[in-house]
Amino acid sequence: MDYFLTEEQQMIVDLSRQITDELIIPQRAALDESEDFPGAILDAIAKADLFGVYIPEEYGGFGAGTFEIVLALEQFGRGCVGVATAFAASALGAFPILVAGSEEMKQKYLPDIASGAKKAAFALTEANAGSDASGIQTTAVLDGEEWVLNGTKQWITNAGEAKIYTVVAMTDRAKGPRGASMFVVEDSDPGFSYGVKEKKLGIRASSTRELIFKDCRIPKERLIGRLGTGFITVMKTLDKSRPGIAVLGVGLGQAALDEAVRYAKQRVQFGKPIISFQAVQHMLADMAIQVEAARAIVYAAARHIDAHPKDMSKASSMCKVFATDMAMKVTVDAVQVLGGYGYMRDYPVEKMMRDAKILQIYEGTNQIQRNVVGQELNKEYT
Amino acid sequence: MLLIDINACIGCGLCEANCAFAAIRVVDGIAEVNENCTLCGACVDFCEAGALQIEGREEAVKDDLSQWTGIWVFTEYRHGRVAPVSYELLGAGRKLADRKGVLLSAVLLTDSAGEVPGELISYGADQVYVVEDQGFAQFTDDVYGNALEDLARQYKPEVILAGATAIGRSFIPRVATSLKTGLTADCTQLDIQEEDGVLLQTRPAFGGNIMATIACTGRRPQMATVRPLVMKANAPDPGRQGKIMRCAIAPDRLLSRIKVRNFFPLAGDQVKLNEADIVVAGGRGLESEKGFLLIAELAQELGGAVAASRAAVDSGWIAYPHQVGQTGKTVSPKVYIACGISGAIQHLVGMQSSDTIVAINRDANAPIFDVAAYGVVGDVFEILPKLIDKIKETRAS
Amino acid sequence: MKIIVCIKQVPDAKDVRLDPKTNTLAREGVQSIINPYDRHALEEAVRIKENMGGTVTVMTMGPPQAEEILREAVSCGADEAVLVSDRAFAGADTLATTYTLSQAIKKIGGADLILCGKQAIDGDTAQVGPGLAVRMGMPYVTCVRKISAAKDKPFIVERLMDDGYDEIEIELPALFTVVKEINEPRLPSLKGKMKAKKLSVTTLTAADINADASQLGLKGSPTWVVRVFAPQFKGQRTMIQGTVQEQVDQLAEKILEWC
């Protein structure tokens, strides 16, 4: 289907496709096996100027928006959701600075993030605070000219690889959600360290570790935005970032569909390629319909967000749920089409199925997304 | 432009059938040319009606060709060793010279000739032009090029042949450009055209997908580099008589603008590849660097060298010096064992002249079997370990 | 430093095949690409520019469509692009090509350094680099696998030979042809692509480069193609049959006979 991309948008697609085909796809199986961080691939993405797609030109970026980064992520997701997650996590880490940071803060951090010289990471989740963010136990206390952070963040993507972390901590627990604030923590800050690397079902090329703050002291001006606005910044960040996760589902679903159709055309049983059997055709047709529908809703949501509407939560959550549930289903079906071969690591679809699962979980579980949509409906119909 | 004389054209379609570029088509009984035309002129030679002409070709400047006579072979002599291709060229040159009834000469540029001129005569040269000078101690394009150019201007050979080696491919173009004459690279076949005695030079093009026969009619000398291991050297005849002509080159022509500071030889195995009697080669079917351990083991067991297809080299499983094919080395061993190599034409051109080719491949339709004397359809990972064991076992007993 | 990289548009080798039935090169779906070796030359030029300053100009001789590869080269780091294009250049062999390129380079003010790929994958002659150097009166080194450059010092380059490599000292101006080992070419960048889109490519015709017509195209080409044909392969193709062990036993027996 033609989505009427501009020439610049098409350029981003072409470039991301080339990186995906030439660098990511040939290496994805090895990265999945070794669980190594894809440093060289990310360097190539940086050289191609893609880390700065969504960052304004005055901070060294390309000055485009959510839709453009969605286009890039769709290609990377088609190649490997692990690599794509490592790339996307840097944008997620940069968004708080972009949406709430001061001019000085933007000038200090965004150019390095745009060039890819430094990667960023976003740190919200803790052992007792996942979907329920009010359970956050990490604290930040002002001591003279410095904030002192204590606590542990869990399952932080790009931990240990990023140089710039945007961290949520409670500055006044008594105020509940209004007592949370966001801070920039740098890799080299005293009292800041990392936990061991987690072993995961999928997206193994991405690095997932704890952030440990033990009397971690950072300068006062590292506070992002005003005191107590941490959760608002988090919500704004996630509203902007969810289409990026959703589109990984689109790319992944497309990849699974591609593999399934290719296989069905060449696999011969009962004297015919299995694509000539209606049972298989219908599976493939359903997969194709769902991938295209997901692409349409994600593109629409991303364009909606780029129009800077007052309210973007519903569109953002809807596309995340739809596209990632789709990716789970389509990758399971792709394994089914490939049968026993699909279950083997010689073929890429079992990895795709493992990678798909995280999309329904991270950046807000799909259950939480449905809550958001439901709450918005409730508001709309009052 | 390709000119078509519509009055002469009989619409026979010979041109269409013989155009490699699908550039000419007979429409309504008359040949028509399209933008695919490369002006190669193949159609002109096939046209029996004389309806086709390449505009411009007839106007090419003609030298006074009769002054130029004799066949020359450039002797590649480096680090105290004559490159085998030079002997092969003396073998090929001998045939050409005999057909034309002219002299075959070798050209030797060196800091110290020693016994080499006599050897060149024993391999078939009638005479050897020797220039001895310190300037030839290291290979530099400008000094070697100047010397060969000056000798050619003075003694006027009609043909100059050199090996299509690193050295030949590097400095021979310099000589051809300076002499403003034609040069054909990487020839695999040389012949003399009956009518006018012109050298017909055949070479692979488009990655070996097509063969093209090239001629240089209007200028002299006709120059060609020839792939190693394609021509056959004659057995040396120590009693053969010939003339050794010592020549001098003007001193200012022996000053190089580059300085060779150091030479670093390759590890032994890599150099051996072109000269090995047995070559065991692996391709994409080996799947990884680890797969090549099997190739290395079999090669070692047989006392052979390890080679690879371009796919394997590009995947980073083995280093480039092992690459055989159009963009790698040409080999011609007694036995070539191709394992997991599909046999893309680019690979075949580098090994097809091997005496016996054995192919092991999963895909029974792989083109490698078309050149193989013996083929085994099967999984290399199953066959190679068993084969290695069997050979060890048989040798032990 | 003014660096010129000569590039050539070639059909993608993996797509090219002679159809044995029609004896023609299958052209359908064959993509035109930058000659792969030239990509390495371009990358090396861009790296030298990044280290030592200067400009990188890409030049190609070809039909108007060759402008595409010039834009691609700019998206990968070149600054300027020159298309040398005229019907009079058609049918050029390497001698006529080097004349044409040298006239074009002189026209745009010469160069301190010229880089070329080792050879083009369609013709595989490896003659244009050395020939161009002769026309420009420059020293040259072919098959370069490493270039070490420092300000106000001669360049040190490594030349791949059949038996190893030579380390060579050379002063600019000079021409090098490069092999693939020299570097890993970068992909285009977004900013490069934007630049390439806006770039106006300089086109030079035969008249622009003050060319002597007798040295151009077919007229200036001493070599010509007599015949084109499909390569023939021998092979009697005896397939060894049986179970894996039987196959191995027969094969081992034969191999031991030969070796």
Side-chain angles (χ1 to χ4, degrees):
Chain A
M1 258 189 245
D2 189 345
Y3 290 96
F4 303 101
L5 303 186
T6 63
E7 216 174 318
E8 271 122 63
Q9 289 163 348
Q10 191 58 50
M11 233 178 235
I12 291 169
V13 172
D14 292 344
L15 193 50
S16 312
R17 176 180 294 136
Q18 194 179 356
I19 291 171
T20 301
D21 291 340
E22 291 180 19
L23 299 176
I24 300 178
I25 290 178
Q27 292 182 52
R28 64 182 174 195
L31 289 169
D32 180 55
E33 200 75 40
S34 67
E35 308 197 15
D36 287 334
F37 189 74
I41 295 175
L42 294 177
D43 285 350
I45 294 174
K47 268 197 175 162
D49 301 328
L50 289 171
F51 269 100
V53 164
Y54 60 93
I55 291 177
E57 282 169 287
E58 60 259 45
Y59 308 117
F62 189 68
T66 305
F67 185 45
E68 283 76 13
I69 194 164
V70 154
L71 291 173
L73 279 166
E74 179 179 355
Q75 293 302 321
F76 299 155
R78 183 174 61 82
C80 173
V81 177
V83 173
T85 295
F87 170 75
S90 190
L92 181 63
F95 279 153
I97 299 174
L98 204 54
V99 301
S102 64
E103 182 57 29
E104 292 75 32
M105 187 177 263
K106 286 179 183 171
Q107 277 179 7
K108 181 169 180 198
Y109 293 109
L110 293 179
D112 280 344
I113 296 174
S115 72
K118 290 182 179 169
K119 281 158 207 83
F122 177 77
L124 170 65
T125 304
E126 297 182 6
N128 297 313
S131 295
D132 177 9
S134 66
I136 286 177
Q137 284 164 347
T138 299
T139 57
V141 177
L142 191 63
D143 177 22
E145 292 299 297
E146 289 175 324
W147 289 99
V148 183
L149 274 67
N150 277 289
T152 301
K153 293 287 172 184
Q154 183 173 260
W155 302 332
I156 304 307
T157 304
N158 276 2
E161 304 292 342
K163 299 284 181 215
I164 299 163
Y165 296 82
T166 47
V167 180
V168 184
M170 300 308 291
T171 39
D172 187 346
R173 194 161 297 173
K175 286 190 179 162
R178 288 179 198 285
S181 302
M182 285 203 79
F183 300 89
V184 175
V185 177
E186 295 182 18
D187 171 66
S188 55
D189 285 331
F192 175 35
S193 62
Y194 307 104
V196 292
K197 202 170 161 176
E198 305 288 348
K199 293 200 176 293
K200 304 192 291 292
L201 171 71
I203 58 163
R204 294 180 178 179
S206 73
S207 166
T208 310
R209 294 168 73 171
E210 283 177 342
L211 305 186
I212 301 162
F213 303 103
K214 259 190 186 159
D215 291 328
C216 169
R217 301 185 82 87
I218 57 172
K220 200 173 153 189
E221 54 284 2
R222 298 273 194 84
L223 173 68
I224 302 174
R226 282 181 295 116
L227 196 65
T229 58
F231 277 128
I232 299 170
T233 305
V234 166
M235 290 309 145
K236 283 187 182 163
T237 291
L238 293 177
D239 281 348
K240 275 173 85 82
S241 71
R242 272 184 217 112
I245 297 306
V247 87
L248 295 184
V250 176
L252 178 58
Q254 183 67 53
L257 173 65
D258 293 345
E259 293 294 336
V261 175
R262 253 199 302 267
Y263 180 84
K265 281 173 78 92
Q266 54 120 77
R267 171 69 169 175
V268 175
Q269 291 286 274
F270 307 104
K272 286 186 211 162
I274 62 170
I275 199 168
S276 58
F277 299 117
Q278 208 171 44
V280 175
Q281 270 179 23
H282 283 188
M283 281 179 84
L284 297 174
D286 280 337
M287 290 161 76
I289 293 163
Q290 292 175 75
V291 170
E292 203 58 61
R295 181 176 290 121
I297 192 175
V298 175
Y299 283 11
R303 283 172 156 155
H304 172 73
I305 287 166
D306 283 338
H308 304 293
K310 260 186 103 173
D311 189 12
M312 48 180 87
S313 301
K314 193 173 108 190
S316 169
S317 292
M318 289 199 308
C319 79
K320 199 263 180 180
V321 170
F322 189 84
T324 59
D325 283 352
M326 175 282 289
M328 193 68 248
K329 179 164 185 344
V330 166
T331 52
V332 168
D333 286 349
V335 172
Q336 191 67 24
V337 170
L338 270 75
Y341 289 105
Y343 200 73
M344 300 298 143
R345 289 206 197 167
D346 295 340
Y347 285 79
V349 290
E350 61 83 29
K351 170 185 181 290
M352 292 176 184
M353 185 177 127
R354 285 187 282 112
D355 285 353
K357 190 63 210 169
I358 192 63
L359 298 175
Q360 296 178 301
I361 299 171
Y362 68 9
E363 279 195 53
T365 64
N366 284 8
Q367 285 67 34
I368 288 289
Q369 305 308 321
R370 288 182 168 91
N371 286 356
V372 172
V373 176
Q375 285 155 12
E376 292 296 321
L377 287 174
N378 194 16
K379 266 196 249 167
E380 277 173 29
Y381 284 79
T382 47
Chain B
M1 300 304 103
L2 174 67
L3 301 180
I4 301 169
D5 181 344
I6 55 170
N7 295 317
C9 179
I10 54 171
C12 68
L14 269 178
C15 51
E16 183 177 332
N18 287 291
C19 174
F21 303 95
I24 194 162
R25 194 154 291 162
V26 176
V27 181
D28 298 333
I30 301 286
E32 260 178 25
V33 63
N34 64 34
E35 72 284 354
N36 288 345
C37 180
T38 64
L39 301 176
C40 79
C43 55
V44 176
D45 299 305
F46 281 105
C47 181
E48 290 172 354
L52 302 176
Q53 189 196 334
I54 300 273
E55 185 187 26
R57 191 199 280 178
E58 300 315 310
E59 302 161 42
V61 192
K62 298 233 175 193
D63 291 346
D64 183 1
L65 305 184
S66 61
Q67 293 178 17
W68 300 78
T69 174
I71 314 279
W72 278 18
V73 169
F74 169 75
T75 307
E76 186 170 323
Y77 184 55
R78 177 172 161 88
H79 301 142
R81 180 171 176 272
V82 175
V85 68
S86 301
Y87 295 137
E88 293 158 24
L89 288 180
L90 286 172
R94 186 68 262 161
K95 287 200 192 95
L96 298 175
D98 289 346
R99 270 191 71 178
K100 297 206 65 150
V102 296
L103 292 179
L104 174 66
S105 309
V107 175
L108 176 64
L109 310 175
T110 177
D111 55 334
S112 164
E115 303 298 313
V116 177
E119 260 170 56
L120 296 172
I121 290 168
S122 75
Y123 275 94
D126 298 312
Q127 49 185 24
V128 183
Y129 295 96
V130 181
V131 188
E132 259 184 316
D133 190 281
Q134 267 312 309
F136 300 120
Q138 296 284 4
F139 168 71
T140 58
D141 293 277
D142 42 10
V143 169
Y144 273 65
N146 290 345
L148 187 57
E149 177 194 339
D150 291 357
L151 289 174
R153 284 189 197 282
Q154 192 176 350
Y155 298 102
K156 299 194 178 353
E158 61 195 294
V159 170
I160 301 181
L161 305 176
T165 56
I167 288 179
R169 283 166 59 98
S170 187
F171 93 101
I172 294 293
R174 177 190 179 92
V175 179
T177 306
S178 299
L179 294 171
K180 303 260 187 308
T181 189
L183 166 62
T184 308
D186 268 339
C187 296
T188 54
Q189 211 183 309
L190 298 172
D191 209 347
I192 300 287
Q193 185 159 285
E194 279 306 333
E195 312 91 88
D196 53 5
V198 162
L199 182 69
L200 296 176
Q201 310 154 56
T202 299
R203 69 184 298 266
F206 283 96
N209 281 288
I210 60 173
M211 303 297 291
T213 301
I214 315 272
C216 171
T217 39
R219 310 267 178 97
R220 292 293 178 271
Q222 306 162 81
M223 298 183 67
T225 61
V226 179
R227 283 207 148 204
L229 295 164
V230 175
M231 306 294 170
K232 294 270 179 254
N234 293 334
D237 169 8
R240 223 173 160 279
Q241 294 298 309
K243 211 160 96 189
I244 295 172
M245 328 231 309
R246 301 208 171 255
C247 311
I249 298 293
D252 62 312
R253 300 279 283 165
L254 295 173
L255 298 174
S256 180
R257 287 156 78 184
I258 73 169
K259 198 164 111 193
V260 179
R261 303 205 306 185
N262 255 316
F263 169 67
F264 301 89
L266 284 177
D269 175 51
Q270 299 175 349
V271 190
K272 258 177 21 196
L273 185 53
N274 322 45
E275 293 164 23
D277 279 340
I278 294 150
V279 172
V280 185
R284 201 191 294 278
L286 271 301
E287 289 174 7
S288 69
E289 210 174 326
K290 249 166 67 191
F292 266 86
L293 294 178
L294 283 172
I295 300 292
E297 197 182 345
L298 180 59
Q300 198 188 358
E301 195 55 42
L302 300 174
V306 174
S309 71
R310 182 172 152 187
V313 172
D314 281 355
S315 301
W317 304 335
I318 185 161
Y320 171 75
H322 293 273
Q323 186 174 320
V324 164
Q326 181 73 13
T327 49
K329 293 198 165 77
T330 302
V331 298
S332 185
K334 288 199 178 110
V335 184
Y336 189 92
I337 305 177
C339 309
I341 292 178
S342 64
I345 198 141
Q346 290 86 343
H347 185 74
L348 301 186
V349 297
M351 43 65 82
Q352 49 152 330
S353 58
S354 306
D355 291 350
T356 304
I357 295 168
V358 177
I360 304 171
N361 202 297
R362 216 179 335 201
D363 175 10
N365 297 318
I368 189 77
F369 290 119
D370 295 339
V371 299
Y374 294 97
V376 179
V377 176
D379 183 353
V380 287
F381 293 107
E382 210 177 334
I383 292 167
L384 286 180
K386 288 201 164 90
L387 184 63
I388 293 164
D389 286 348
K390 178 76 188 176
I391 288 170
K392 279 186 181 159
E393 198 182 294
T394 316
R395 286 209 166 142
S397 63
Chain C
M1 175 159 27
K2 192 168 170 195
I3 309 174
I4 291 181
V5 183
C6 297
I7 65 177
K8 184 180 185 187
Q9 189 175 41
V10 297
D12 196 344
K14 62 178 189 290
D15 299 337
V16 178
R17 216 155 238 280
L18 197 74
D19 184 331
K21 285 192 209 100
T22 61
N23 215 30
T24 61
L25 285 171
R27 299 214 145 211
E28 248 164 74
V30 176
Q31 289 234 322
S32 285
I33 56 168
I34 297 182
N35 175 43
Y37 292 100
D38 302 348
R39 283 190 165 280
H40 295 267
L42 171 64
E43 174 66 25
E44 198 62 20
V46 173
R47 289 185 190 187
I48 292 171
K49 176 193 84 172
E50 284 169 352
N51 289 336
M52 306 184 69
T55 59
V56 175
T57 303
V58 278
M59 177 180 280
T60 192
M61 182 184 104
Q65 308 88 280
E67 198 180 304
E68 248 172 76
I69 61 162
L70 291 173
R71 289 192 191 277
E72 197 183 335
V74 168
S75 76
C76 293
D79 302 297
E80 315 268 339
V82 179
L83 174 67
V84 189
S85 188
D86 197 307
R87 292 181 75 113
F89 304 150
D93 71 0
T94 57
L95 192 71
T97 300
T98 57
Y99 172 72
T100 308
L101 286 175
S102 67
Q103 287 296 110
I105 292 172
K106 286 172 192 162
K107 171 74 186 179
I108 62 166
D112 299 306
L113 177 62
I114 302 176
L115 295 178
C116 306
K118 176 180 86 154
Q119 64 196 56
I121 58 164
D122 53 353
D124 285 319
T125 70
Q127 282 163 210
V128 168
L132 178 58
V134 173
R135 301 269 193 188
M136 296 300 299
M138 287 183 184
Y140 68 90
V141 182
T142 60
C143 295
V144 169
R145 54 166 235 174
K146 190 178 173 199
I147 297 177
S148 311
K151 273 227 150 59
D152 305 321
K153 278 191 180 159
F155 273 46
I156 308 294
V157 301
E158 290 177 10
R159 170 174 68 190
L160 197 63
M161 303 297 285
D162 293 327
D163 53 356
Y165 67 91
D166 283 337
E167 187 186 85
I168 288 170
E169 192 180 303
I170 182 168
E171 301 263 6
L172 299 193
L175 179 148
F176 305 136
T177 76
V178 306
V179 294
K180 287 185 174 177
E181 294 95 307
I182 194 166
N183 58 39
E184 193 55 54
R186 73 192 68 188
L187 294 169
S189 71
L190 207 46
K191 286 171 192 161
K193 277 187 174 254
M194 291 298 289
K195 188 175 170 192
K197 196 183 95 179
K198 293 182 196 142
L199 179 88
S200 70
V201 171
T202 310
T203 302
L204 298 178
T205 63
D208 294 332
I209 61 173
N210 310 317
D212 162 9
S214 73
Q215 297 196 54
L216 296 176
L218 268 186
K219 279 185 198 163
S221 298
T223 63
W224 53 280
V225 178
V226 180
R227 187 164 90 93
V228 172
F229 57 100
Q232 304 293 321
F233 296 111
K234 54 169 188 184
Q236 67 266 52
R237 207 188 153 108
T238 305
M239 299 308 275
I240 297 178
Q241 309 287 351
T243 64
V244 172
Q245 195 56 51
E246 286 164 9
Q247 287 177 324
V248 164
D249 290 349
Q250 291 175 62
L251 192 56
E253 194 184 324
K254 294 224 182 303
I255 288 174
L256 286 165
E257 229 171 84
W258 303 321
C259 305

